Amino acid sequence: MGGWRDMSAEALEQQYSPSRWSPRLGSDTIIQAHIAATAAGTQRARAGAETSLHVPYGAGEGERLDIYYPTEPSGTFPALVYIHGGYWQCLSKDESGFAAPPLVSRGVAVVAVGYDTAPRGRLDAMVLQVRRSLVFLAQRYPGIRGIYLCGHSAGAHLAAMALSTDWSEYGAVPDIRGAVLVSGVYDLEPILHTYVNDALNMSREVAQRNSPVLCVAPAPAACEVLVAVAQHDSPEFRRQSREYGQALRAAGWNVSLLDLAGVDHFDIIEKLSEESYVLTQMILNMVSRA
């Protein structure tokens, strides 16, 4: 059969260590550089926008979100909901507002979602938290006209799980009109065999239940999905993006695949702070089409 099942443990660890694949920086420095870049970008965004910070969407410690309002909000406005990465065990909403400046200046609110990361948080709970944050937005902020999900890495996984939701169980249906999934993981089974699972402590059952590629929902009437991957993502990350995009397409979803040249697992998302960046422009175009 080939594929990841035939890899040695060492090869699998390499494939699922994004920091080892960047040509820009060494694996020991690139993660610190990423945290610094996103934190600084978030500070700039908070200084330059009207915000509601640390808004509780539930009772849990991590169940908070930050809202960056459009510079000139009309009565209603679209919202980009950003779900951070960090392999489900690091980062937070406090480094997740860096994409706001070019979007709020064009009338789009940005919402950075917090969730309980591992080891305190468990994967089932994180998926539920993200879903509940979207229901909260739909119920509490009637001014939001259309939700656009954007997730990076583990956050792309959580956003993809939100796309698989049966909302009939939640009391409200978020108006999700688009999703931008960036350098994500959509099949969690390989993760079971890597260091990443040390903190997550997933069983095979949990991994399968929370693998977006295994639980693709029927295609909604109007939701556009962009699955983006970096040239300098690992072959496994690139395979996962391709196969998840194919699974969505097979189920009738409106999906595009974007293979971005010249970027790695980290700057593919960091550059969302720039209005001229291709992914920023694609988000703005997606919002304008709805």
Side-chain angles (χ1 to χ4, degrees):
M1 181 174 147
W4 68 266
R5 294 174 195 279
D6 293 340
M7 292 181 188
S8 67
E10 188 181 3
L12 206 56
E13 293 268 326
Q14 175 97 359
Q15 287 287 328
Y16 285 93
S17 300
S19 61
R20 299 190 192 183
W21 294 86
S22 172
R24 289 187 300 137
L25 293 165
S27 59
D28 52 343
T29 54
I30 193 162
I31 293 174
Q32 291 309 312
H34 177 62
I35 294 169
T38 53
T42 300
Q43 290 306 314
R44 283 194 297 273
R46 288 181 176 183
E50 182 189 343
T51 58
S52 294
L53 302 178
H54 319 304
V55 177
Y57 65 84
E61 190 178 331
E63 297 178 357
R64 302 284 185 273
L65 41 85
D66 293 342
I67 304 173
Y68 300 77
Y69 294 100
T71 307
E72 296 179 18
S74 53
T76 62
F77 46 83
L80 182 88
V81 176
Y82 182 79
I83 305 163
H84 70 80
Y87 255 157
W88 306 278
Q89 53 199 287
C90 61
L91 294 177
S92 73
K93 70 173 180 58
D94 297 324
E95 302 87 31
S96 299
F98 58 92
L103 296 174
V104 298
S105 68
R106 299 282 291 277
V108 182
V110 173
V111 180
V113 175
Y115 54 91
D116 286 316
T117 52
R120 186 175 73 231
R122 286 283 171 257
L123 204 68
D124 284 316
M126 296 178 213
V127 169
L128 181 59
Q129 285 176 324
V130 169
R131 289 169 170 166
R132 285 180 27 240
S133 75
L134 298 174
V135 170
F136 171 83
L137 286 170
Q139 293 176 325
R140 186 63 60 91
Y141 294 95
I144 290 177
R145 171 185 52 77
I147 288 173
Y148 298 82
L149 304 177
C150 179
H152 172 240
S153 198
H157 161 267
L158 294 169
M161 287 301 294
L163 295 180
S164 76
T165 308
D166 176 0
W167 295 107
S168 65
E169 304 169 24
Y170 289 85
V173 181
D175 182 17
I176 300 174
R177 300 188 189 180
V180 179
L181 309 175
V182 184
S183 293
V185 180
Y186 309 104
D187 176 3
L188 300 190
E189 198 171 343
I191 296 286
L192 293 173
H193 309 283
T194 71
Y195 72 95
V196 181
N197 201 37
D198 295 349
L200 292 172
N201 200 25
M202 284 188 297
S203 65
R204 190 161 184 262
E205 181 190 15
V206 168
Q208 290 184 328
R209 181 167 64 237
N210 291 291
S211 287
V213 75
L214 300 179
C215 56
V216 175
C223 179
E224 188 179 346
V225 181
L226 175 64
V227 180
V229 68
Q231 176 186 352
H232 301 297
D233 266 316
S234 75
E236 269 293 281
F237 269 81
R238 292 167 60 77
R239 176 191 67 81
Q240 289 232 6
S241 289
R242 185 172 62 249
E243 292 185 2
Y244 181 57
Q246 289 167 348
L248 287 175
R249 190 170 286 147
W253 286 71
N254 174 9
V255 58
S256 307
L257 283 163
L258 176 66
D259 192 333
L260 263 173
V263 288
D264 58 40
H265 187 82
F266 302 96
D267 60 351
I268 189 176
I269 199 75
E270 292 166 9
K271 288 174 179 284
L272 280 183
S273 61
E274 304 168 12
E275 184 166 357
S276 60
Y277 179 46
V278 60
L279 214 47
T280 311
Q281 288 299 314
M282 291 180 87
I283 290 170
L284 288 167
N285 289 338
M286 182 185 284
V287 171
S288 70
R289 280 195 291 274

